[in-house]
Amino acid sequence: MTDVPAILLDGTAIGRAVSRLAHQILERDRAVEQLVLVGVRSRGVQLAHRIARKIEELAGRIVPVGAIDITPYRDDVEEPRDRIEGPETDVAFSIDDAVVVLVDDVLSTGRTVRVALDVLGGLGRPHAIQVAVLVDRGNREVPIRADFVGQNVPDTEARRVHVRVRELDGRDEVALV
Amino acid sequence: MSRHVLAIADLSDEEIDSILRRTEEMEAALETRDAGQIPKSAAGRIMATLFYEPSTRTRLSFEAAMWRLGGAVIGASDMKSSSASKGETLADTAKVVSSYADVLVLRHFWDGAARVAAEHADVPLINAGDGSHEHPTQTLCDLYTLKRAKGTLRGITVAIGGDLKRGRTAHSLVRALARFKANIVIIPARGMEFPDWLLQKVAEEYGYRPTVARPGDLKALARDVNALYLAPARPHQLTLFTDTEFDLEERLAEAEPITLDALYMTRPQRERRDDTTDDGVEYLRIDTDTFQDPAMRHTVLMHPLPRTGEISSALDRDPRALYFRQAASGVPVRMALVEMVLAERVGREVAVPAARAERGAMRIGPRCANPNCITRREPVQSERRFRFHRERVGRAHLVCLYCDHETRIQVIGNRKSKHFHVYEEPMYGYLDAWLRDDALVIFDTVKQAEEAAYKSYKLGPQKSIMTAQEIERAIAELTDAILRDTRELKDLVIVGVRMAGAFLAHRIVERIHALRGAAVDLGVLDVQGGGDVIPRWPGTPATEGSNVTIANRHVVIVDDVINSGWTAKDALSCVWRAGRPLSARLAVLIDRGHRQLPIKPTYVGKHLPTAPHERVRVRLRELDREHRDRVVIYSYVDPKAAA
């Protein structure tokens, strides 16, 4: 066990991972017309925008990008209530019948995605919801799976994965801290 | 029969006019400060106030109104200290309390709660605000204040700003203003626009769509705009723009300058968002600068209160600021309304659709799509929960009679032939015909239809794909896998999804008992029912109460088949509503693939890839007429081919 952060992905590797995610999404969801991306605040939103730009490059189509904030619904508080939308939720398009790709930086227990499914359910009835994550750590506490994964980083040690993105943190980096 | 006031639409134009006139008389009587001048029209009558949410102005003004009219008030201002905390339903509370009083006043946090209470109350019920849905008495105060200030409602221009998504006062007001032919400009904060169901309702009822502006438009108006222009596209259809826009000359040709008659502000509804910040949201805030503009010379400023910074207190002395007068009108307005409902004669037609023979209401309904609807939280006894809204031939959806939200039609069934089919637009003719034949039933899912003993329209040939022995073996393997992953049986709770999933869960629990000699908690989860608790398996000795404990335990959800994942997602939501588990796992007898959601079962008895048009049905001996276990597969046949 060391205190020195280990860099798992640098800027170039993150760029490659985003590109790979965009390719995988296009491969699975050929009908780009139905595709929308929704990022989980905060870093999921930045990643969603990057994936959307890559899809636009590859398929020549603009994919709508929205954002949801699940902070108010975190279940580490007593008496959780299934409310519908978060204050910072910004999905300015209909998700009815859409294929929604939910984008987040790290998937671990699955609790965040479970809440996000409820939030999206309050916004409309999509045809399907898929999950794209930059890093999947395993360690599920809820039966949630990722459809698209940039990098698997098994949760074998008690170190946390820290994702930094240049838009918010000044640099792109995934580190074990 | 009682007369209820659940929404502003429950009052006719004549009744509203009459209430406003009577309010004026009540206000004049109150101003004399002579109790003898005030009519004692509620003498000897009792009002019960049921407030499940905090309230100052609404509750006190209702109570003051009743006392002024010579009546008395009973009630609990904090229903958390009432039987509700013991799990009593709102329906039961309304039934019981209506036997103590002559009129009920309800405030509740669930949309549509007022309608449920009214269906069970034996006396008139007045809605004092239900969730994000309606607040009709606040609207009466608003209309009264506006009419007094402007002399009329017809043709005046009112801007409504702020949190329009969750602000129930704004929801009721926009419908009332549209009805009285006022021009409406809406200025929502970003992400807080009026919900679609409301705008569609206004369009449907009054052929009217309000003009939408942005907070910046009003700021521009305050800064350097001499007038605000509204260009009627057709009567009652307006386009708003300001002279900061660069195609102004072109647009000015058809426009006429107007000034706003009223600006109605609302606060951000934090309590409906579980939120404490408004960072980054452009929220309209009114200060002395905004109101110095010549265009605002005659604009009155209104707010339902409490305010949370949307209106500067520097404006309080401005004669155009009417919000305190609005609040003061609460007593005379409610006096007029209470007098009216108490004077209603027995036998009058009730305003609750559930008590009306309404064309298009269904015997078995799907679940409302609004997660905050009372029908998802409490069992609703009424058979009629939806009405049809036809956009055009071929397109129809359901509108919840309780909360007005729209719900898509998923599966339609014929009550007479006991057959069902997944709904698609080309099937509109069948829907219409079955509806006219009083045979239409609507389900949320195919599984729900099957469990109601409906068959796929002209069932294709069935093929057995799992025998009783294979099912028993699969259950044994699922049980063993669950036990391998469980350290302490006391921390485990197994929850079966009605119907077949619950019987599978029961067999798993029995097997654990046989293997380990330990009783494991077993709950039955109804994803269609809602509610915040999961009842125990019927017949279980209820040593710890009638519901299983979810908080801080490892939950295993058991279902028969997983396909799209929607049922599993709803089951997870129900579990989290009942408490915060340490973990949740999912055990299914059969996984068909075809996932539409990112759900991965933890334990699978059998992977069975199937085509989308195929159905897999788990038939368990507990539910089967032949009392035997089997799994069958069959294909749909289009009803057109069955004609």
Side-chain angles (χ1 to χ4, degrees):
Chain A
M1 183 90 180
T2 173
D3 293 336
V4 180
I7 305 301
L8 292 171
L9 300 173
D10 60 9
T12 311
I14 288 176
R16 272 202 303 270
V18 165
S19 179
R20 198 164 51 246
L21 289 170
H23 276 99
Q24 288 172 355
I25 290 167
L26 277 175
E27 214 166 289
R28 169 93 66 96
D29 305 311
R30 292 178 192 282
V32 186
E33 299 78 14
Q34 282 186 299
L35 188 66
V36 301
L37 302 183
V38 174
V40 179
R41 287 193 194 278
S42 291
R43 284 156 189 80
V45 180
Q46 312 305 328
L47 292 168
H49 279 290
R50 293 192 204 179
I51 293 169
R53 282 197 293 274
K54 193 71 199 170
I55 289 173
E56 193 185 340
E57 261 176 54
L58 296 167
R61 277 195 165 274
I62 293 174
V63 177
V65 179
I68 57 171
D69 183 359
I70 61 104
T71 315
Y73 312 98
R74 286 179 54 177
D75 67 358
D76 46 6
V77 292
E78 281 303 305
E79 296 178 29
R81 294 206 52 183
D82 265 5
R83 286 291 187 187
I84 312 163
E85 258 185 273
E88 298 297 324
T89 289
D90 181 12
V91 180
F93 44 83
S94 169
I95 64 166
D96 285 340
D97 298 318
V99 174
V100 179
V101 178
L102 186 73
V103 183
D104 205 357
D105 54 352
V106 181
L107 173 61
S108 178
T109 63
R111 288 174 186 267
T112 299
V113 172
R114 190 207 67 78
V115 175
L117 294 181
D118 277 344
V119 174
L120 288 170
L123 295 173
R125 175 78 186 217
H127 169 70
I129 301 171
Q130 295 159 358
V131 171
V133 292
L134 187 61
V135 176
D136 187 348
R137 299 220 66 191
N139 195 31
R140 287 298 182 275
E141 293 172 2
V142 185
I144 293 292
R145 67 160 193 219
D147 298 88
F148 313 107
V149 178
Q151 177 89 21
N152 283 298
V153 182
D155 188 21
T156 50
E157 53 178 319
R159 291 209 283 175
R160 294 190 54 198
V161 163
H162 206 121
V163 175
R164 294 186 179 90
V165 293
R166 62 176 178 271
E167 296 91 334
L168 301 174
D169 311 299
R171 66 180 185 278
D172 284 346
E173 182 181 85
V174 177
L176 268 177
V177 292
Chain B
M1 286 298 199
S2 308
R3 174 62 197 278
H4 308 293
V5 179
L6 312 180
I8 199 72
D10 292 338
L11 297 166
S12 67
D13 292 7
E14 296 72 31
E15 284 173 326
I16 291 175
D17 279 336
S18 159
I19 289 168
L20 299 186
R21 277 197 308 274
R22 187 64 173 148
T23 299
E24 215 164 335
E25 292 166 11
M26 295 286 191
E27 194 170 50
L30 288 170
E31 279 167 3
T32 63
R33 300 203 173 269
D34 175 0
Q37 298 290 315
I38 299 167
K40 295 291 177 275
S41 36
R45 315 295 279 276
I46 293 175
M47 169 189 284
T49 54
L50 303 173
F51 277 65
Y52 289 77
E53 263 192 343
S55 164
T56 306
R57 274 160 301 279
T58 306
R59 186 168 64 87
L60 292 180
S61 60
F62 262 113
E63 293 182 358
M66 192 65 181
W67 288 115
R68 294 283 192 199
L69 291 171
V73 180
I74 58 172
S77 59
D78 176 12
M79 291 302 291
K80 283 191 179 119
S81 62
S82 73
S83 289
S85 63
K86 300 174 194 166
E88 184 176 66
T89 62
L90 174 62
D92 285 355
T93 302
K95 184 83 186 163
V96 170
V97 177
S98 68
S99 66
Y100 306 153
D102 302 289
V103 58
L104 301 188
V105 176
L106 174 80
R107 169 166 289 188
H108 205 284
F109 39 80
W110 289 336
D111 301 358
R115 190 165 300 277
V116 166
E119 284 171 1
H120 294 82
D122 299 323
V123 298
L125 183 137
I126 301 172
N127 180 9
D130 56 344
S132 299
H133 185 223
E134 283 258 11
H135 194 351
T137 61
Q138 178 63 51
T139 301
L140 290 170
C141 297
D142 299 339
L143 294 179
Y144 179 71
T145 308
L146 262 174
K147 198 169 179 180
R148 285 216 72 180
K150 296 292 167 183
T152 182
L153 297 172
R154 186 178 290 270
I156 63 170
T157 301
V158 181
I160 308 176
D163 185 351
L164 307 185
K165 187 179 185 74
R166 301 167 188 84
R168 56 195 170 198
T169 56
H171 292 182
S172 294
L173 181 63
V174 75
R175 289 168 74 173
L177 289 173
R179 195 163 136 183
F180 284 97
K181 307 230 172 348
N183 298 315
I184 306 162
V185 177
I186 54 181
I187 313 175
R190 196 168 53 83
M192 301 185 192
E193 291 81 7
F194 273 129
D196 286 346
W197 67 261
L198 181 73
L199 292 177
Q200 275 176 10
K201 195 144 180 129
V202 169
E204 192 184 323
E205 288 170 348
Y206 311 109
Y208 179 70
R209 279 207 168 271
T211 302
V212 182
R214 284 284 164 204
D217 292 330
L218 207 72
K219 286 173 185 163
L221 185 72
R223 270 201 318 274
D224 53 9
V225 179
N226 292 325
L228 182 70
Y229 297 90
L230 290 170
R234 39 180 219 270
H236 234 50
Q237 296 270 314
L238 305 165
T239 309
L240 175 139
F241 56 99
T242 68
D243 63 9
T244 53
E245 298 179 31
F246 52 41
D247 57 349
L248 183 69
E249 276 187 42
E250 205 176 301
R251 299 179 70 182
L252 270 178
E254 295 173 25
E256 44 186 79
I258 60 124
T259 52
L260 285 180
D261 291 292
L263 173 56
Y264 188 98
M265 281 301 300
T266 59
R267 71 185 165 86
Q269 299 275 318
R270 287 197 178 87
E271 73 277 21
R272 301 194 196 292
R273 295 181 335 203
D274 296 347
D275 162 40
T276 53
T277 66
D278 294 318
D279 296 345
V281 175
E282 189 188 15
Y283 208 92
L284 182 58
R285 300 194 190 280
I286 308 298
D287 52 25
T288 47
D289 285 351
T290 323
F291 255 55
Q292 273 174 1
D293 187 272
M296 298 259 190
R297 240 183 354 261
H298 303 294
T299 309
V300 296
L301 182 59
M302 297 172 68
H303 193 299
L305 300 178
R307 61 181 160 180
T308 54
E310 311 79 51
I311 296 178
S312 160
S313 57
L315 281 163
D316 291 356
R317 291 206 189 122
D318 191 309
R320 295 167 297 174
L322 300 187
Y323 29 91
F324 292 124
R325 205 183 305 171
Q326 235 175 304
S329 73
V331 175
V333 162
R334 289 175 175 109
M335 286 168 74
L337 180 69
V338 168
E339 187 181 68
M340 186 196 91
V341 298
L342 287 175
E344 287 288 340
R345 293 188 183 283
V346 168
R348 186 199 158 91
E349 189 191 359
V350 186
V352 178
R356 281 207 304 246
E358 182 166 319
R359 185 177 181 272
M362 286 146 290
R363 295 173 184 280
I364 303 173
R367 194 173 49 155
C368 177
N370 171 16
N372 205 49
C373 178
I374 182 123
T375 60
R376 306 240 331 219
R377 305 292 181 157
E378 278 196 10
V380 173
Q381 290 170 9
S382 167
E383 287 181 342
R384 299 186 179 95
R385 290 184 286 139
F386 295 93
R387 64 183 174 85
F388 276 104
H389 176 67
R390 292 174 173 82
E391 286 170 60
R392 54 179 169 80
V393 171
R395 279 190 73 91
H397 55 252
L398 304 173
V399 178
C400 178
L401 290 177
Y402 291 85
C403 75
D404 288 313
H405 275 64
E406 288 175 10
T407 297
R408 284 174 53 196
I409 298 171
Q410 305 285 352
V411 178
I412 61 172
N414 186 307
R415 197 167 44 84
K416 294 176 179 173
S417 71
K418 287 278 186 183
H419 283 87
F420 71 85
H421 201 279
V422 174
Y423 182 70
E424 294 154 358
E425 225 171 274
M427 298 193 64
Y428 181 83
Y430 292 93
L431 180 144
D432 207 38
W434 297 352
L435 176 61
R436 275 186 274 110
D437 196 22
D438 193 29
L440 181 69
V441 181
I442 292 188
F443 300 102
D444 256 348
T445 60
V446 167
K447 188 175 171 180
Q448 193 188 12
E450 287 175 336
E451 292 192 335
Y454 279 65
K455 291 178 180 166
S456 167
Y457 219 93
K458 204 174 179 194
L459 220 60
Q462 290 194 14
K463 183 180 148 197
S464 177
I465 49 170
M466 261 180 117
T467 62
Q469 292 77 8
E470 287 171 317
I471 290 171
E472 276 308 318
R473 198 162 46 242
I475 290 171
E477 286 166 4
L478 290 172
T479 308
D480 295 345
I482 290 167
L483 286 173
R484 269 197 305 275
D485 292 345
T486 303
R487 278 192 197 166
E488 296 279 351
L489 283 179
K490 66 176 171 49
D491 294 335
L492 180 68
V493 56
I494 294 191
V495 172
V497 178
R498 292 188 70 223
M499 296 281 286
F503 284 101
L504 287 170
H506 184 241
R507 293 197 204 177
I508 289 170
V509 166
E510 283 188 324
R511 183 173 165 82
I512 291 174
H513 190 262
L515 291 171
R516 299 282 178 91
V520 171
D521 267 359
L522 173 60
V524 178
L525 194 154
D526 181 359
V527 295
Q528 307 299 331
D532 292 346
V533 292
I534 297 175
R536 286 179 189 280
W537 175 262
T540 307
T543 48
E544 293 174 50
S546 54
N547 305 313
V548 291
T549 302
I550 295 295
N552 297 318
R553 300 178 82 188
H554 296 286
V555 178
V556 176
I557 298 167
V558 180
D559 205 359
D560 56 345
V561 179
I562 184 166
N563 183 34
S564 65
W566 286 104
T567 302
K569 177 253 168 201
D570 285 343
L572 284 166
S573 301
C574 292
V575 164
W576 255 263
R577 276 209 303 271
R580 181 187 180 265
L582 292 171
S583 71
R585 289 171 265 162
L586 176 63
V588 294
L589 185 66
I590 290 171
D591 184 350
R592 288 188 54 198
H594 302 299
R595 205 78 78 245
Q596 291 174 352
L597 294 177
I599 306 272
K600 184 183 179 186
T602 325
Y603 314 109
V604 177
K606 182 171 183 158
H607 289 276
L608 191 74
T610 53
H613 65 275
E614 291 179 313
R615 283 289 302 161
V616 169
R617 184 101 195 262
V618 174
R619 311 192 75 151
L620 298 177
R621 59 178 180 258
E622 297 91 335
L623 300 164
D624 188 57
R625 268 181 303 201
E626 296 171 35
H627 304 292
R628 64 190 182 104
D629 289 342
R630 63 202 186 280
V631 179
V632 294
I633 188 166
Y634 57 87
S635 297
Y636 281 128
V637 175
D638 192 307
K640 290 186 263 291

